[in-house]
């Protein structure tokens, strides 16, 4: 047993629930050497965890490399902060993520800078920190095994969550010892309307494996999803109302535009109804989809609906003044940032308006607050007090996360699961999903990955759990 424990990995999470994703792995080798790597380094978006954005409970200077699963701010938003604090080594990403990150990190800096000015506090990081972060990126191809050093290999695998998203396999070796194999799912989905999701190679399915598994919708099956978006849009437009659709800049924005195009083609939406698309970053991403491709299917490059107008700061006032029926597609997805800060205060008190959220809304965000507010009640929106007269709806039908039953099927593929560590979910959801894994998946052990415990793993699976020194 002593020999086994001299070669191990300690895995811990810097995040407790959904946002702020950051997993630290500390590898101990039999010769006494130590290697550290981080998977993702995102911003916390839940209000109760906001203070955690200002801390990293590890020394970035000692981290040997970083892995990025995909380009969402809750997974990449604190990369420049980690660099500011001393990280200076390679950041491995997919080729598509390498193209997206400059836009994402520069936009994140602008948002954080604006917020810090309003709060009269120092910004989390500088534009120079963003530039330095981008200089560290190392693009990798899917399914190509990259040797990081003599002891570590990484392989990026196709993931339907987002263009450029990846499952990341990390294989850690040492002479005369069995490999330790870790698979980080990031935010996982088994499908995407813009590209084909390839199956996991057979050789990976047969590895003795520890899976660090997301659980965002671990308490919901795919059969529970109700498709309500199109019907809600039609009802509002038929009543001569305005539809305000909140989208994430990358992925969701393009999917909703395509859905509107399909509605036009299927005679479910009159092509004469004007559609306005607002949000600088979302528009830039959309142009990348069209011009670069980003690995999407060729036939999907033509995804824009007819009668679409791109909105900027100058033309936004004309949209707001218009009293005719229309559809506005805007960022941010949770309603707290971007042009949504202008549109929601304007439309929340209009009874002929449908405000439609199309994805996850974290607690403390504008979307989270409006979800819990009764129609006719007073709500605080951008510092203003207004009566909620608009119809506010939410749908998970476009969610980029696999549901519980789909994640169970994903895990069942693996022939030799030593350990499944459940993370990236609200506390109760993580528990529910972990219990389901115990019941339905042939995994040797199942754990809950959060800030309270870290897990010591060797090539045989779990060695033990220990309390972390941070809360």
């Amino acid at each position: 047993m002593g020999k086994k424990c001299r070669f191990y990995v300690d895995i811990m999470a810097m995040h407790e629930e959904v946002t702020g994703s950051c997993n630290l792995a500390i590898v101990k080798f039999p010769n006494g050497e130590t290697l550290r790597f981080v998977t993702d380094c995102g911003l916390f978006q839940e209000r109760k965890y906001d203070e955690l954005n200002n801390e990293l409970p590890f020394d970035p200077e000692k981290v040997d490399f970083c892995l990025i699963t995909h380009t969402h701010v809750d997974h990449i938003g604190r990369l420049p902060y980690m660099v500011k604090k001393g990280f200076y080594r390679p950041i491995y990403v997919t080729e598509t993520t390498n193209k997206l990150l400059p836009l994402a990190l520069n936009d994140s800096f602008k948002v954080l800078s604006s917020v810090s000015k309003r709060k009269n506090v120092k910004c989390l990081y500088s534009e120079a920190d963003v530039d330095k972060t981008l200089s560290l990126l190392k693009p990798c191809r899917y399914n190509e095994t990259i040797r990081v050093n003599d002891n570590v290999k990484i392989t990026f695998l196709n993931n339907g969550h987002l263009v450029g998203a990846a499952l990341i396999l990390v294989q850690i070796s040492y002479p005369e010892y069995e490999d330790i194999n870790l698979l980080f799912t990031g935010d996982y989905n088994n499908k995407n309307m813009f590209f084909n999701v390839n199956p996991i190679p057979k050789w990976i399915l047969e590895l003795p494996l520890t899976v660090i598994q997301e659980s965002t919708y671990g308490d919901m099956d795919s059969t529970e999803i109700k498709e309500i978006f199109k019907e809600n849009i039609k009802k509002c437009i038929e009543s001569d109302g305005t539809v305000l659709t909140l989208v994430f800049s990358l992925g969701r924005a393009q999917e909703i535009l395509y859905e509107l195009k399909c509605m036009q083609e299927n005679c479910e939406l009159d092509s004469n109804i004007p559609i306005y698309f607002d949000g600088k970053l979302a528009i830039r991403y959309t142009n990348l989809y069209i011009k670069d491709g980003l690995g999407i299917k060729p036939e999907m490059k033509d995804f824009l609906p007819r009668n679409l107008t791109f909105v900027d700061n100058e033309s936004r006032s004309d949209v707001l003044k218009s009293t005719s029926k229309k559809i506005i597609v805007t960022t941010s997805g949770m309603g707290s940032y971007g042009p949504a800060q202008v549109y929601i205060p304007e439309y929340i008190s209009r009874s002929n308006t449908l405000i439609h959220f199309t994805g996850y809304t974290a607690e403390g965000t504008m979307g989270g607050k409006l979800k819990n507010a009764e129609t006719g009640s007073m709500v605080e929106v951008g510092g203003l007090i207004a009566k909620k007269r608009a119809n506010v709806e939410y749908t998970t039908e476009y969610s980029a996360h696999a549901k519980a039953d789909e994640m169970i099927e994903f895990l069942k593929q693996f022939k030799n699961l030593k350990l499944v560590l459940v993370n990236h979910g609200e506390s109760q959801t993580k528990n529910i999903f972990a219990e389901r894994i115990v019941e339905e998946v042939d995994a040797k052990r199942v754990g809950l990955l959060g800030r309270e415990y870290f897990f010591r793993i060797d090539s045989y699976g779990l060695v033990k759990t220990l309390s972390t020194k941070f809360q």
Side-chain angles (χ1 to χ4, degrees), residues 51-267:
E51 288 302 313
L52 295 179
N53 280 321
N54 299 300
E55 67 171 62
L56 287 172
F58 59 88
D59 185 352
E61 284 192 47
K62 295 181 179 179
V63 175
D64 294 280
F65 63 92
C66 176
L67 306 172
I68 297 300
T69 61
H70 67 284
T71 316
H72 273 155
V73 71
D74 62 318
H75 288 257
I76 53 91
R78 287 200 299 163
L79 276 175
Y81 182 64
M82 186 169 71
V83 169
K84 175 182 177 179
K85 292 296 183 179
F87 178 76
Y88 62 94
R89 293 187 170 102
I91 301 172
Y92 294 94
V93 300
T94 65
E95 291 177 316
T96 295
T97 296
N98 186 60
K99 297 173 183 177
L100 298 170
L101 268 176
L103 293 177
L105 290 181
N106 279 297
D107 182 77
S108 179
F109 167 70
K110 290 175 183 176
V111 171
L112 290 173
S113 179
S114 176
V115 171
S116 63
K117 286 176 182 176
R118 291 201 302 268
K119 293 183 177 180
N120 196 28
V121 296
K122 191 174 181 180
C123 190
L124 197 61
Y125 49 80
S126 68
E127 198 166 6
D129 296 323
V130 172
D131 292 339
K132 187 173 181 182
T133 301
L134 296 174
S135 73
L136 300 175
L137 299 183
K138 304 293 181 184
C140 305
R141 295 177 182 173
Y142 285 120
N143 294 320
E144 184 176 299
T145 299
I146 307 295
R147 185 168 287 280
V148 174
N149 57 36
D150 290 341
N151 302 103
V152 179
K153 296 182 293 185
I154 59 173
T155 309
F156 286 81
L157 305 169
N158 200 220
N159 181 351
H161 178 68
L162 190 71
V163 287
L167 310 167
I168 306 177
L169 174 68
V170 181
Q171 297 174 275
I172 307 165
S173 61
Y174 195 83
E176 299 183 13
Y177 287 77
E178 295 294 323
D179 288 358
I180 300 174
N181 302 303
L182 310 172
L183 182 68
F184 294 87
T185 68
D187 291 356
Y188 169 72
N189 202 1
N190 58 349
K191 55 189 173 296
N192 192 293
M193 66 172 67
F194 280 96
F195 59 90
N196 296 321
V197 180
N198 299 320
I200 295 174
K202 183 179 178 181
W203 68 270
I204 294 176
L205 297 178
E206 295 176 349
L207 290 173
L209 199 63
T210 290
V211 177
I212 296 84
Q213 171 70 48
E214 75 121 320
S215 61
T216 311
Y217 289 99
D219 58 352
M220 177 186 292
D221 278 352
S222 57
T223 54
E224 299 174 52
I225 303 302
K226 296 180 179 178
E227 296 183 357
I228 62 172
F229 180 75
K230 290 194 293 185
E231 284 304 314
N232 289 341
I233 298 294
K234 288 191 285 186
K235 286 178 184 178
C236 183
I237 293 299
E238 287 168 4
S239 301
D240 294 332
T242 291
V243 177
L244 177 62
T245 304
L246 288 305
V247 295
F248 302 115
S249 297
L250 181 60
R252 193 61 40 77
Q254 294 75 33
E255 289 165 355
I256 294 300
L257 291 175
Y258 178 68
E259 188 72 276
L260 294 174
K261 179 191 177 187
C262 291
M263 290 178 68
Q264 290 175 340
E265 291 177 344
N266 295 330
C267 300

Side-chain angles (χ1 to χ4, degrees), residues 402-419:
K403 306 306 177 289
D405 57 324
E406 297 167 323
M407 291 189 287
I408 290 293
E409 290 305 310
F410 167 77
L411 290 170
K412 283 181 177 179
Q413 300 176 91
F414 300 100
K415 311 303 182 186
N416 193 0
L417 274 181
K418 299 295 185 183
L419 174 65

Side-chain angles (χ1 to χ4, degrees), residues 430-454:
K430 287 198 297 184
N431 278 278
I432 291 170
F433 187 55
E435 291 174 6
R436 184 165 176 179
I437 295 172
V438 171
E439 293 288 341
E440 300 183 31
V441 177
D442 185 17
K444 190 173 180 181
R445 306 292 287 274
V446 179
L448 297 169
L449 190 58
R451 291 175 63 87
E452 189 175 355
Y453 297 101
F454 69 86

